[in-house]
Amino acid sequence: MATGPLETDLAHLRAERDALALRVETLSEELARAQARITALEAEEDGPLALFDGGEDRLTGDGSDPRVLSMVLGATAVVAGMVALLALLNGKLGTPFGVVMIALTILLAWGAVRTRVVPVEVSVVRGMVYVQQGETSYRFEVRKPETDVEMVGQPGDPGWQVRFGRRGLDPFVVDASMVDAHDFVARLREFRPSL
């Protein structure tokens, strides 16, 4: 009976089976640790993990993009303007349709400009409040007592505001649509405990 090569193959297969069983055991342990970590993260977040969660916008509170209305009005104004241009090219601009299209174009363009949302970024760094509003930036040094800072209401109130006085101009107002009120006031109170 020639059992040499057969026994060698059988020994290799057993060794491979044992290595695969060890690998399955290791992977099972890693999977259990990963599932425990996911459960811990879900508990921290008070809900399931969302891969594509955009979060809530402070302006709308429902997660929608406040810039969409302005973009839609602008795009519709462009289309109305093109229709008015076609009416001009066809010699029908003086007709009631042409006049309505010109008025509609102007009205939609005005609405797009009026509903435009300029993002505001507010940060507090070492006693300085930095505000970036579109292309304009402001800074207020709350460490200095002569900087006029006034808080209206308390964080969480519907009408809560922090007003920073500016010489010769209206005060700059920071409200809950721009910052997390509790965090912002906590940072300001490091330098202005009276707020």
Side-chain angles (χ1 to χ4, degrees):
M1 248 170 45
T3 59
L6 186 57
E7 285 182 14
T8 305
D9 288 343
L10 189 57
H12 285 303
L13 288 174
R14 286 182 181 149
E16 188 176 336
R17 179 198 64 195
D18 293 341
L20 288 174
L22 183 62
R23 180 75 176 139
V24 166
E25 185 178 326
T26 304
L27 288 173
S28 297
E29 291 171 0
E30 288 178 17
L31 179 62
R33 284 194 299 270
Q35 287 174 333
R37 179 74 177 135
I38 288 171
T39 302
L41 288 172
E42 285 178 346
E44 289 176 12
E45 292 291 324
D46 294 331
L49 292 176
L51 295 176
F52 302 105
D53 184 19
E56 289 188 2
D57 188 287
R58 287 192 200 107
L59 291 176
T60 60
D62 63 357
S64 64
D65 191 346
R67 298 169 293 183
V68 171
L69 178 60
S70 178
M71 288 188 284
V72 168
L73 288 173
T76 309
V78 168
V79 171
M82 291 170 51
V83 171
L85 180 64
L86 285 173
L88 173 70
L89 293 174
N90 290 327
K92 309 252 188 217
L93 193 60
T95 64
F97 176 77
V99 172
V100 167
M101 290 312 299
I102 290 173
L104 186 61
T105 301
I106 293 169
L107 183 67
L108 288 168
W110 177 80
V113 170
R114 296 285 296 168
T115 59
R116 187 175 58 123
V117 176
V118 178
V120 178
E121 295 178 24
V122 181
S123 60
V124 181
V125 180
R126 294 188 301 270
M128 294 288 289
V129 176
Y130 295 97
V131 179
Q132 184 71 36
Q133 185 177 23
E135 298 295 319
T136 309
S137 63
Y138 305 98
R139 58 182 188 157
F140 305 98
E141 192 168 358
V142 293
R143 292 178 296 195
K144 291 185 177 180
E146 56 269 10
T147 303
D148 184 27
V149 181
E150 174 190 2
M151 185 165 70
V152 176
Q154 291 299 315
D157 292 349
W160 173 83
Q161 295 179 340
V162 175
R163 297 178 183 180
F164 295 94
R166 300 183 292 175
R167 282 177 263 172
L169 298 170
D170 291 336
F172 186 85
V173 177
V174 174
D175 60 21
S177 69
M178 300 174 189
V179 296
D180 177 81
H182 295 286
D183 182 51
F184 184 68
V185 170
R187 289 175 179 239
L188 289 180
R189 284 183 176 156
E190 291 175 19
F191 305 98
R192 293 287 180 97
S194 60
L195 284 178

